[in-house]
């Protein structure tokens, strides 16, 4: 049975497979995304919350755990670390040593801490916002996603360093942790952009243009950097299963609006969105990586970009019709409706005209989406190659 | 549509009294919630969405719990969330307090529900939910955030520079010069990128602040012109950035039988006071005859209430160099219009005929003579100064020429009217015995909750021209009535006795009010006796 230990291994012969620190950071990433989706659901169903509401506690748990563990690691290595531990770390500000994953997690925790008084002031000054993207929320979301990114970096640094010396079981564990951490980042990215990625927008050009920026960027990086042949697909599966599970579990619990006006008197938690079908283009991206990984990176980016757009629109467009036609089916979570919105809105289960585009819009919009997708994929490829080289 | 208007109008001619404010955001209430007598002070948030503070004062007996919840006119009764319990304030028997969230701008109300030995009772107190304040950041918080921001930038530059250099070097391998160069370039590029991101963030913040300012509540602008004995009040409705139906001037409703209640006060001295009721010339122009007033600069406050229940005060000023001869004949001035001259608020000596420290019902008070030989006494102990932000029941009693309790009549369907102003003109409030809120708003909301279900369908709102015609007909009808008949109509359905219940002879009237800030105030009190409106002005120092 494999043992677990804090920090890095002292002797390669006694090398433990996966340090506890990695489990902790991935668990922190999980707490953060669970807390965030729960919090959004809370605001759609109950409305009012306090500093210590249950979803907030989940988010804090993730942030504090990752921040404290990372801070502890940095202090321990800096002031009581062995030469080997310091040798595996990056040195900064003259006296400190820590892994890049530590640094990302510390940055994320400080950003989350910063957002608290900023958000409090914001609410007092501009009112309680019921939007996901406001400046203080963005600071918070950046903190969260950087912690989650720190989890990816931490896993990858170990995975990259141990590659070739690690047992198959150990590499499998790294692979699982990588799939989880990359899937949680995908979930967070989707959540941050969800105001533009809802089912009412799924027949608009902008929806595909935004998708072509976000997803090729992440999926190509995952596909390139993963030790698995299915890095992008695995991340998308984690994202999809996680989102579906949240969408099915949350409505099982009662919730009553505590803020007015109440236009939609809900009685249970309103779920967040059904996952986008990004798993389909992710399979395409992974297949391209398997066959063409050594070709010119711009050409590879073009393949990724085109592949993503074509496969994504091919599945998401008709699936949007299914979501609308589901008329509030529990499986898709399409019954969810913010308590402050009129449930009898004529476009509740229809694409509103202002979200539909003319042929000319599409004629211009599709090439733009392809260019965006290609550029995003190109950045993703470079990013992925950088991720492959991270060893500290 | 016409049917809808006609259905609505009989409800609006019930006791409708403006309750608007300038510089006095709190809403006061004194009256009954079922069989429970309470006083309430609601301080609405200055930023929407935000929380209103609700304070309820009771005698403490027979009450087991007090609850409150927000209601919105446009949403309807069903749109009300679960009520929150107001909790007893420690050390203050009978005082309950709680916070109520107001999430949307518009006409809202706080429904207060009382449970106790006499069953359940409730009352709806209107609150205009609007953002009125642009706040700045406390310097200590600003510096703290700036420090954290600097730390985050420096740390991120460190992370990125390490990511492209040391982070890619295997353990115990040397950091080459090339790597050091990459580190430097990474630091420079990331620093520039982060500064660009910060600049973008600031632009975003600025646009958010601009949007907030754009939708913040501002009083409507108006232009007042006085020519000979005529006053014209023109409202500029072109600057409404939101609540365009809620605050539409075409949809004003009779408020206590009058479309508009206008008060003129001479600025500085506050020695001239007039209460007028301009009539509508067109949808934005209102005209009135002017009483004979001396020259000077005048403050104008015009109170209106809409079909949506939204009530507000439209302020303005005008200046006249010479005295206005004006109209003395009440048939021309308007039978309910009145004016009053008194001493200057800047004088240190009391008003002529004033008596300090008289005793009324065993309590000290300040007494003033009235025009018909009777006297009015404010039950106020001058040795016990008033305090800001404390809810008082300002009680006034009238004695006839022989020193006996006088019998007061309703004035515009109310036991009395009061106007409170700070000497610098920054605070203005129109009070009635029920409080500082608009009863028109209350009636409008209650009528809608009773007669309609679901959110208000703005697409099916009555046409403004038809609405104005219907309202004008109602006012014409009221004006043609005898005063007795009109008072019966205006007082129909009153939830609260307009006169102090402990004085069945109708000689005492009280006004609940909390002065919003320290300073010197003038309180004009208007009551009616033997068919004549009796005006008086008391001065109050608030600490």
């Amino acid at each position: 049975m494999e043992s677990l230990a804090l920090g890095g291994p002292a002797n390669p012969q006694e090398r433990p497979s996966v340090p506890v620190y990695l489990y902790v950071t991935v668990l922190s990433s999980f707490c953060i995304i669970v807390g965030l989706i729960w919090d959004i659901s809370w605001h759609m169903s109950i409305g009012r919350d306090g500093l210590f509401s249950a979803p907030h506690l989940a988010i804090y748990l993730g942030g504090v755990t990752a921040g404290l563990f990372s801070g502890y690691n940095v202090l321990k290595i800096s002031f009581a670390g062995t030469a080997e531990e310091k040798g595996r770390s990056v040195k900064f500000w003259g006296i400190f040593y820590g892994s890049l994953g530590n640094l990302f997690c510390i940055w994320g925790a400080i950003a989350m801490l910063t957002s608290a008084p900023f958000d409090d002031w914001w609410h007092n000054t501009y009112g309680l916002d019921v939007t996901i993207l406001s400046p203080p929320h963005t600071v918070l979301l950046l903190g969260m996603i950087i912690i989650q990114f720190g989890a990816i970096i931490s896993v990858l640094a170990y995975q990259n360093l141990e590659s070739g010396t690690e047992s198959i079981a150990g590499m499998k564990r790294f692979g699982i942790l990588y799939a989880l951490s990359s899937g949680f980042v995908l979930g967070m990215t989707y959540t941050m952009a969800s105001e533009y990625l809802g089912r009412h927008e799924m027949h608009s050009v902008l929806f595909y243009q935004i998708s072509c920026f976000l997803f090729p960027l992440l999926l190509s990086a995952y596909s390139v950097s993963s030790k698995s042949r299915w890095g992008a697909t695995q991340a998308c599966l984690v994202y999809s299963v996680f989102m579906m599970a949240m969408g099915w579990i949350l409505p099982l619990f009662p919730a009553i609006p505590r803020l007015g006006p109440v236009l939609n008197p809900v009685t249970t938690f309103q779920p967040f969105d059904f996952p986008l079908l990004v798993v389909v283009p992710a399979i395409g991206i992974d297949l391209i990586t398997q066959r063409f990984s050594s070709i010119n990176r711009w050409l590879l980016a073009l393949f990724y970009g085109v592949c993503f757009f074509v496969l994504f629109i091919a599945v998401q467009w008709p699936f949007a019709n299914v979501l609308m036609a589901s008329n509030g089916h529990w499986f898709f979570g399409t019954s969810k409706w913010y308590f402050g919105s009129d449930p009898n809105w004529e476009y509740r289960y229809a694409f509103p005209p202002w979200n539909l585009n003319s042929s000319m819009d599409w004629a211009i919009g599709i090439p733009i989406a392809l260019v965006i997708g290609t550029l995003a994929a190109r950045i993703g490829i470079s990013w992925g190659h950088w991720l492959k080289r991270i060893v500290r | 549509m016409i049917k809808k208007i006609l259905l609505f109008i009989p409800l609006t001619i019930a006791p409708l009294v403006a309750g608007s404010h300038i510089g006095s955001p709190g809403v006061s209430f004194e009256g009954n919630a079922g069989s429970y007598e309470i006083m309430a002070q609601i301080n609405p948030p200055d930023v929407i969405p935000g929380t209103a503070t609700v304070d309820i004062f009771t005698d403490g007996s027979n009450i087991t719990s007090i609850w409150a919840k927000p209601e919105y006119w446009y949403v309807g009764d069903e749109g009300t969330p679960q009520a929150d319990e107001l909790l007893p304030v420690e050390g203050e028997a009978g005082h309950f307090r709680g916070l109520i969230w107001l999430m949307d701008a518009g006409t809202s109300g706080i429904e207060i529900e009382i449970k106790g030995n006499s069953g359940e009772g409730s009352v709806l107190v209107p609150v205009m939910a609007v953002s009125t304040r642009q706040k700045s950041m406390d310097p200590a918080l600003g510096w703290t955030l700036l420090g954290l921001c600097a730390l985050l930038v420096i740390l991120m530059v460190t992370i990125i520079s390490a990511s492209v250099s040391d982070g890619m070097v295997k353990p115990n391998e040397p950091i080459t010069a090339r790597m050091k160069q990459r580190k430097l370039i990474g630091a420079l590029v990331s620093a520039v990128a982060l500064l660009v991101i910060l600049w973008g963030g600031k632009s975003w913040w600025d646009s958010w602040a601009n949007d907030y300012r754009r939708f913040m509540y501002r009083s409507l602008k108006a232009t007042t012109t006085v020519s000979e004995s005529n006053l014209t009040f023109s409202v500029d409705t072109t600057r409404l950035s939101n609540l365009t139906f809620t605050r539409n001037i075409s949809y004003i409703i009779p408020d206590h039988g009058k479309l508009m209640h206008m008060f003129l006060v001479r600025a500085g001295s506050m020695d001239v006071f007039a209460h007028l009721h301009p009539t509508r010339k067109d949808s934005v122009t209102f005209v009135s005859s002017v009483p004979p007033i001396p020259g000077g600069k005048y403050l104008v406050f015009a109170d209106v209430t809409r079909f949506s229940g939204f009530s507000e005060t439209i302020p303005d000023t005008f200046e006249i160099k010479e005295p206005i001869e004006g109209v003395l004949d009440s048939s021309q001035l308007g039978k309910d219009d009145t004016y009053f001259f008194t001493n200057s608020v800047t004088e240190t000596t009391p008003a002529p005929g004033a008596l300090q420290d008289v005793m009324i019902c065993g309590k000290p008070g300040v007494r003033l003579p009235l025009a018909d030989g009777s006297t009015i006494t404010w039950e106020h102990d001058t040795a016990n100064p008033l305090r800001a932000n404390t809810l008082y029941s300002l009680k006034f009693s009238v004695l006839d020429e022989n020193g006996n309790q006088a019998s007061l009549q309703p004035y515009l369907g109310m036991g009395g009217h009061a106007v409170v102003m700070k000497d610098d003109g920054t605070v203005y409030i129109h009070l009635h015995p029920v409080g500082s809120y608009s009863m028109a708003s209350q009636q409008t909301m209650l009528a809608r909750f009773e007669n309609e279900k679901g959110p208000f369908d703005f697409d099916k709102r009555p046409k403004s021209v038809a609405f104005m015609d219907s309202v004008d007909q109602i006012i014409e009808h009221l004006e043609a009535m005898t005063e007795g008949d009109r008072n019966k109509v205006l007082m129909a359905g009153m939830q609260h006795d307009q006169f102090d219940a402990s004085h069945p002879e109708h000689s005492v009237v009280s006004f609940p009010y909390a002065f919003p800030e320290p300073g010197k105030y003038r309180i004009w009190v208007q009551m009616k006796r033997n068919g004549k409106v009796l005006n008086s002005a008391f001065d109050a120092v608030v600490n």
Side-chain angles (χ1 to χ4, degrees), chain A residues 10 50 75 92 128 178 276 325 353 356 364 370 392:
Chain A
L75 292 175
F92 63 100
L128 177 74
Y178 182 71
L276 300 178
L356 299 174
I364 299 168
L370 288 170
R392 296 194 184 201

Side-chain angles (χ1 to χ4, degrees), chain A residues 145-174:
Chain A
I145 201 165
I146 290 292
I147 285 178
Q148 294 188 304
F149 188 62
I152 292 183
I153 296 284
S154 299
V155 173
L156 273 178
Y158 270 90
Q159 195 179 21
N160 293 337
L161 194 60
E162 310 304 332
S163 180
T165 63
E166 186 54 79
S167 66
I168 293 174
M171 289 310 287
K172 194 176 277 182
R173 288 194 177 194
F174 279 125

Side-chain angles (χ1 to χ4, degrees), chain A residues 2-122:
Chain A
E2 290 154 334
S3 62
L4 300 174
L6 275 175
N11 185 334
Q13 302 304 317
E14 300 165 3
R15 176 174 292 136
S17 288
V18 180
V20 168
Y21 174 70
L22 296 189
Y23 288 110
V24 170
T25 50
V26 175
L27 186 64
S28 297
S29 177
F30 177 69
C31 286
I32 285 171
I33 189 71
V34 167
L36 183 63
I37 303 292
W38 190 2
D39 196 43
I40 291 171
S41 181
W42 186 292
H43 282 281
M44 285 196 300
S45 322
I46 297 174
R48 186 197 315 173
D49 60 3
L51 195 60
F52 297 107
S53 67
H56 287 181
L57 289 177
I59 294 171
Y60 301 153
L61 180 67
V64 168
T65 307
L68 285 182
F69 260 76
S70 299
Y72 170 77
N73 258 3
V74 167
L75 292 175
K76 178 176 166 287
I77 297 170
S78 301
F79 302 110
T82 63
E84 186 181 344
E85 282 175 330
K86 288 184 178 176
R88 289 176 63 109
S89 307
V90 293
K91 188 179 180 184
F92 63 100
W93 299 354
I95 53 170
F96 293 112
Y97 291 85
S99 70
L100 283 176
N102 289 157
L103 289 175
F104 276 109
C105 288
I106 290 169
W107 192 95
I110 295 173
M112 287 175 70
L113 188 72
T114 305
S115 76
F118 187 20
D119 200 35
D120 185 55
W121 176 83
W122 192 271

Side-chain angles (χ1 to χ4, degrees), chain A residues 149 156 178 182 215-226 231-232 285-286 289 304 376-388:
Chain A
F149 188 62
L156 273 178
Y178 182 71
S182 57
F215 300 115
L217 177 74
L218 289 175
L219 298 183
S220 54
Y222 293 161
S223 186
V224 167
S225 62
S226 174
I285 285 172
D286 279 335
T289 307
Y304 283 156
R378 181 65 187 85
I379 298 169
I381 292 166
S382 292
W383 187 22
H385 281 284
W386 169 73
L387 287 171
K388 281 173 81 169

Side-chain angles (χ1 to χ4, degrees), chain A residues 195-254:
Chain A
E195 288 183 9
Y196 303 96
L197 299 177
R199 64 185 158 90
H200 290 95
E201 286 80 29
M202 287 178 187
H203 281 184
S204 74
V205 177
L206 186 63
F207 172 87
Y208 292 96
Q209 289 173 340
I210 291 173
S211 298
C212 277
F213 171 70
L214 295 175
F215 300 115
L217 177 74
L218 289 175
L219 298 183
S220 54
Y222 293 161
S223 186
V224 167
S225 62
S226 174
K227 299 292 178 194
S228 162
R229 300 174 71 222
W230 303 98
T233 307
Q234 287 170 352
C236 288
L237 282 173
V238 168
Y239 153 76
S240 303
V241 170
F242 171 77
M243 295 293 283
M244 284 192 286
M246 291 297 286
W248 294 332
I249 292 169
L250 282 169
L252 300 177
F253 295 92

Side-chain angles (χ1 to χ4, degrees), chain B residues 52 106 142 161 206 270 313 331 430 476:
Chain B
S161 60
D206 288 345
M270 293 187 167
T313 299
S331 64
H430 181 182
E476 204 175 307

